[in-house]
């Protein structure tokens, strides 16, 4: 009986999928994905109606950012222990059921960034960026590793280097500030901010380099945008033809300046912010933080702020702001044809989940969606995928089951999500049911 | 057998502790008090980074619950960490942590003793208390 029910379900799903792709106007229908079905429990995720999810991999060594080749292979940048000596994995699915059964690897370094563009795969350690040539099957060609950027600052705070390319042969790299708020003594109560903040010379911004030139370092690149404390999620928006980034806002307002801020102020005031960047932009760190309740740029207490004074006249405003400390670790503009029309060109953001909100309950640990049109947000953000952590008010960063940290789009329009807590990779698909 | 031995050992320890407590005003009896005031200090000064479950934040803030160094005999090392903060980025129980720990040299000797006694005896941790005299001695040598 159960078996019959199972087959019936399968049949239904397959019919749904085939009819779906039949009426979708786009050409996207890679041969084998018809057999990809959600796991019975949607891999533990809570999704909007019509979506399902399957677990693609589990137990990987702190996977950070991910990329999918045009052929559908998944590339994963590891940041934990190397896996059999390799820091980048390629997961290949020989059976076409969405469950990869062949793993190979390359690159002998850990790190966060990875992206694919025009036949090359780019991946980063915490101080360098490499590229690899892909063959027509989407495999990395042996011996094709080239170091394109080297010598970037890594002081073991906000050290990950995220990468993305534009359509004009440039690569953008985040260089995070090795500090919370540029205090004379980092994270010491009452310590003043350094003026001007010397960190901004070589960090706290986005640098632009050539995608095809070897061994570039600071002198070869351009400081494309500054005043960004730490960016982990970034993507190129094709409609606006612009770089968009997600900044991790500052920590510890209450413990560094207890005279001006309560625990609740710290938990809610310094927003996580999305910026659309033009060359030369300044987002204001460390002199300001952005208050999402009042939509104002507030003078940082290290620089004379008291929770009331505004600041940052020369700083740009965010495109949209999110609650404090949720840790946006990935940004992806959805250009696929699988999901319903409202998702097209909108932004998915993976929030790793907070720690600095304590003693208030933690937030984040989910993937959100922001609708966009012509490169501008058109509505409020909404939670898209939840259920990664599931502990309610008892949630802590250690006991969270999963923490979303990377996003990628498959050639069929699937959305992949990586988790660096248990090393799980999810694939979210639209089934219409 | 083993349990019995440990138990009688604990009895001996306890009674000597109680004896010496009578003589010089009290360490062993006060460990409870020390833990309680240590808990309040932890909530105020350590919680945001090390969290309510003492689990820290993976890859960012070291855990205190279950950490080898936290329950080890080298109390001077823990006292130095609280006084001077920590940004060594050394491997701790097989992991690296990339946040900077705030120094707390403005805390009183007794407060440091209490908070360390608390972290050594909360969650799954169990270890001897840290005294204000021990903190004073280390502070004198740490400049």
């Amino acid at each position: 009986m159960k078996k019959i029910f199972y087959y019936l379900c399968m049949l239904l799903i397959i019919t749904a999928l085939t009819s779906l792709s039949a009426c979708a106007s786009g050409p996207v229908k890679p041969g084998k994905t018809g057999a990809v079905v959600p796991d019975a429990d949607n891999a533990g995720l809570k999704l909007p109606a019509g979506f399902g999810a399957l677990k693609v991999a589990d137990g990987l060594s702190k996977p950070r950012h991910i990329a999918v080749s045009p052929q559908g292979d998944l590339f994963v940048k590891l940041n934990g222990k190397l896996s059999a000596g390799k820091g980048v994995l390629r997961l290949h699915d020989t059976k076409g059921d969405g469950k990869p059964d062949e793993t190979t690897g390359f690159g002998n370094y850990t790190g966060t960034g990875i992206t694919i563009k025009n036949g090359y795969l780019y991946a980063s350690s915490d101080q360098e960026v490499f590229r690899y040539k892909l063959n027509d099957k989407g495999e990395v060609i042996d011996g094709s590793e080239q170091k394109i950027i080297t010598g970037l600052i890594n002081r073991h705070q906000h050290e990950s280097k995220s990468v993305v390319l534009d359509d004009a042969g440039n690569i953008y790299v985040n260089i995070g500030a090795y500090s919370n708020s540029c205090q004379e003594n980092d994270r010491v109560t009452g310590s003043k901010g350094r003026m001007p903040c010397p960190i901004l010379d070589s960090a706290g911004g986005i640098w632009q380099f050539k995608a095809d030139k070897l061994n570039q370092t600071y002198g070869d690149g351009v400081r494309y945008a500054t005043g960004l404390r730490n960016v982990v999620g970034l993507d190129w928006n094709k409609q606006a033809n612009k770089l968009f980034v997600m900044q991790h806002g500052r920590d510890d307002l209450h413990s560094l300046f207890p005279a001006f801020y309560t625990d609740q102020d710290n938990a809610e005031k310094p927003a996580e912010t999305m910026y659309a960047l033009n060359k030369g932009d300044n987002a204001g760190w460390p002199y300001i933080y952005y208050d999402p309740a009042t939509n104002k740029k507030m003078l940082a207490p290290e620089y004379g702020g008291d929770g009331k004074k505004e600041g940052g006249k020369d700083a740009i405003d965010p495109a949209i702001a999110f609650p404090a400390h949720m840790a946006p670790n990935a940004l992806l503009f959805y250009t696929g044809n699988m999901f319903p029309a409202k998702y097209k060109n909108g932004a998915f953001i993976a929030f790793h989940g907070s720690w600095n909100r304590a003693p208030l309950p933690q937030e984040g640990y989910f993937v959100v969606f922001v609708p966009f049109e012509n490169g501008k947000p058109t509505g409020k953000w909404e939670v898209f995928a939840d259920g990664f952590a599931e502990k309610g008010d008892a949630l802590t960063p250690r006991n969270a089951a999963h923490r979303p940290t990377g996003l990628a789009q498959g050639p069929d329009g699937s959305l992949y999500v990586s988790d660096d807590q248990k090393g799980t990779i999810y694939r979210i698909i639209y089934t219409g049911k | 057998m083993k349990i019995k031995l440990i138990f009688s050992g604990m009895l001996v320890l306890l009674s000597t502790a109680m004896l010496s407590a009578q003589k010089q005003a009290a360490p062993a009896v006060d460990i409870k008090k020390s833990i309680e005031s240590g808990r309040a200090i932890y909530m105020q000064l350590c919680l945001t980074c090390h969290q309510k479950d003492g689990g820290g934040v993976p890859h960012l803030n070291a855990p205190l619950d279950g950490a080898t160094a936290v329950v080890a005999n080298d109390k001077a090392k823990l006292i130095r960490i609280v006084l001077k903060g920590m940004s060594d980025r050394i491997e701790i129980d097989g992991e690296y942590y990339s946040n900077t720990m705030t120094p707390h040299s403005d805390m009183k000797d007794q407060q440091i003793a209490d908070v360390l006694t608390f972290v050594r005896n909360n969650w799954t941790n169990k270890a001897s208390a840290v005294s204000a005299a021990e903190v004073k001695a280390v502070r004198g040598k740490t400049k």
Side-chain angles (χ1 to χ4, degrees):
Chain A
M1 186 56 208
K2 242 188 183 161
K3 242 190 182 157
I4 293 176
F5 181 70
Y6 175 72
Y7 284 128
L8 257 169
C9 277
M10 289 285 282
L11 205 78
L12 267 169
I13 290 166
I14 290 165
T15 355
L17 277 173
T18 25
S19 54
L20 199 94
S21 50
C23 47
S25 56
V28 187
K29 181 70 187 90
K32 297 187 277 184
T33 41
V36 175
V37 293
D39 292 347
D41 63 347
N42 281 334
L45 299 187
K46 285 192 210 129
L47 301 162
F51 287 89
L54 57 148
K55 238 178 222 186
V56 173
D58 223 351
L60 304 184
S61 179
K62 294 206 179 115
R64 297 280 285 177
H65 285 172
I66 49 180
V68 185
S69 70
Q71 294 80 3
D73 290 321
L74 177 66
F75 289 88
V76 183
K77 187 71 204 82
L78 303 180
N79 203 28
K81 299 238 149 55
L82 293 176
S83 180
K86 308 300 180 196
V88 189
L89 298 184
R90 172 178 176 269
L91 305 178
H92 179 64
D93 168 15
T94 60
K95 298 197 295 294
D97 60 357
K99 304 275 184 181
D101 46 356
E102 207 182 273
T103 303
T104 48
F106 53 95
N108 62 353
Y109 50 91
T110 58
T112 289
I114 190 164
T115 190
I116 294 174
K117 180 99 183 174
N118 297 341
Y120 284 91
L121 180 143
Y122 300 79
S124 68
S125 68
D126 291 339
Q127 54 274 321
E128 298 147 315
V129 182
F130 299 86
R131 75 167 186 172
Y132 304 83
K133 189 150 182 52
L134 300 172
N135 66 19
D136 55 8
K137 285 194 255 157
E139 297 159 342
V140 163
I141 297 171
D142 267 351
S144 70
E145 179 177 291
Q146 294 178 315
K147 190 186 288 184
I148 58 168
I149 305 167
T150 186
L152 303 181
I153 276 205
N154 169 16
R155 299 221 180 138
H156 304 282
Q157 181 172 186
H158 304 148
E159 70 273 31
S160 64
K161 305 291 182 283
S162 305
V163 292
V164 72
L165 278 78
D166 62 15
D167 291 319
N170 300 304
I171 184 167
Y172 300 83
V173 185
N174 169 63
I175 307 178
Y178 43 91
S179 168
N180 174 36
S181 191
C182 208
Q183 290 174 288
E184 283 163 9
N185 296 299
D186 188 29
R187 294 179 199 260
V188 172
T189 303
S191 176
K192 288 227 156 41
R194 294 195 274 166
M195 191 70 201
C197 176
I199 292 171
L200 294 168
D201 280 7
S202 55
I206 305 289
W207 266 255
Q208 182 197 53
F209 296 94
K210 292 275 168 262
D212 61 356
K213 220 178 120 194
L214 305 194
N215 295 310
Q216 302 165 87
T217 189
Y218 283 101
D220 308 291
V222 174
R223 190 179 73 176
Y224 190 75
T226 188
L228 290 156
R229 179 177 176 271
N230 185 33
V231 166
V232 188
L234 77 188
D235 198 11
W236 189 261
N237 184 305
K238 286 190 184 297
Q239 285 196 308
N241 200 31
K242 246 182 221 180
L243 177 66
F244 278 67
V245 302
M246 294 293 313
Q247 173 178 241
H248 284 221
R250 58 158 304 150
D251 297 332
D252 300 330
L253 280 174
H254 63 323
S255 57
L256 300 180
F257 292 87
F260 302 132
Y261 301 97
T262 63
D263 288 351
Q264 187 164 355
D265 290 337
N266 175 65
E268 292 172 357
K269 284 195 185 297
E272 308 289 50
T273 38
M274 176 195 283
Y275 294 101
L277 296 179
N278 293 307
K279 191 171 176 176
D281 275 348
N282 167 21
W285 181 91
Y287 312 111
I288 56 145
Y289 62 91
Y290 191 79
D291 184 338
T294 58
N295 292 323
K296 286 191 171 138
K297 289 172 285 196
M298 307 302 292
L299 192 61
E302 290 81 0
Y303 293 90
D306 57 1
K308 295 184 194 77
K309 282 182 213 150
E310 294 177 39
K313 283 208 185 68
D314 54 345
I316 57 170
D317 281 316
I320 182 169
F322 298 86
H325 308 302
M326 298 204 305
N329 270 8
L331 169 66
L332 180 140
F333 289 106
Y334 186 77
T335 56
N337 292 320
M338 179 195 268
F339 292 4
K342 93 168 211 197
Y343 293 97
K344 188 99 184 195
N345 299 313
F348 285 103
I349 302 161
F351 283 100
H352 202 214
S354 69
W355 58 273
N356 201 251
R357 287 176 53 87
L360 278 76
Q362 303 299 352
E363 288 283 353
Y365 301 83
F366 47 44
V367 176
V368 314
F369 176 72
V370 190
F372 262 68
E373 231 168 68
N374 301 319
K376 293 213 163 67
T378 54
K380 287 212 164 74
W381 62 274
E382 61 194 46
V383 174
F384 175 74
D386 205 352
F388 293 92
E390 288 300 314
K391 287 280 185 323
D393 282 1
L395 175 64
T396 67
R398 180 171 70 173
N399 75 18
H402 303 278
R403 304 186 73 188
T405 205
L407 294 170
Q409 184 185 305
D412 65 341
S414 299
L415 180 70
Y416 291 77
V417 184
S418 66
D419 143 52
D420 64 353
Q421 186 97 322
K422 295 260 170 62
T424 306
I425 312 280
Y426 302 85
R427 177 171 176 181
I428 300 173
I429 57 180
Y430 185 70
T431 62
K433 292 197 311 163
Chain B
M1 182 58 207
K2 231 182 184 167
I3 292 177
K4 247 191 193 159
L5 245 171
I6 292 172
F7 186 63
S8 44
M10 272 167 58
L11 266 181
V12 172
L13 269 175
L14 207 78
S15 39
T16 24
M18 271 154 70
L19 266 176
S20 60
Q22 275 171 350
K23 267 189 250 154
Q24 33 156 286
V29 190
D30 275 3
I31 188 169
K32 254 192 162 159
K33 225 180 98 192
S34 183
I35 289 174
E36 277 325 297
S37 68
R39 181 190 308 277
I41 297 165
Y42 181 87
M43 292 301 171
Q44 208 197 333
L45 298 176
C46 323
L47 179 79
T48 8
C49 292
H50 291 291
Q51 303 289 311
K52 60 186 169 194
D53 62 353
V57 180
H59 205 68
L60 202 66
N61 300 324
L64 301 180
D65 178 33
T68 313
V70 172
V71 292
N73 290 329
D74 187 357
K75 299 186 215 173
K77 175 178 171 183
L78 303 178
I79 296 166
R80 271 195 305 273
I81 290 174
V82 175
L83 282 170
K84 305 209 71 168
M86 186 172 173
S87 55
D88 298 354
R89 316 290 190 243
I90 45 158
E91 195 170 337
I92 301 175
D93 295 329
E95 289 283 343
Y96 288 89
Y97 297 93
S98 58
N99 199 358
T100 297
M101 174 164 157
T102 322
H104 290 90
S105 54
D106 52 341
M107 284 170 75
K108 298 199 175 71
D109 292 346
Q110 188 62 52
Q111 290 179 307
I112 292 180
D114 289 349
V115 80
L116 285 175
T117 301
F118 167 75
V119 301
R120 281 164 67 83
N121 289 282
N122 198 45
W123 313 297
T124 63
N125 292 349
K126 193 98 198 80
S128 61
V130 175
S131 72
E134 287 170 303
V135 177
K136 188 166 183 221
V138 174
R139 198 194 293 264
K141 280 185 259 166
T142 320
K143 272 276 146 21

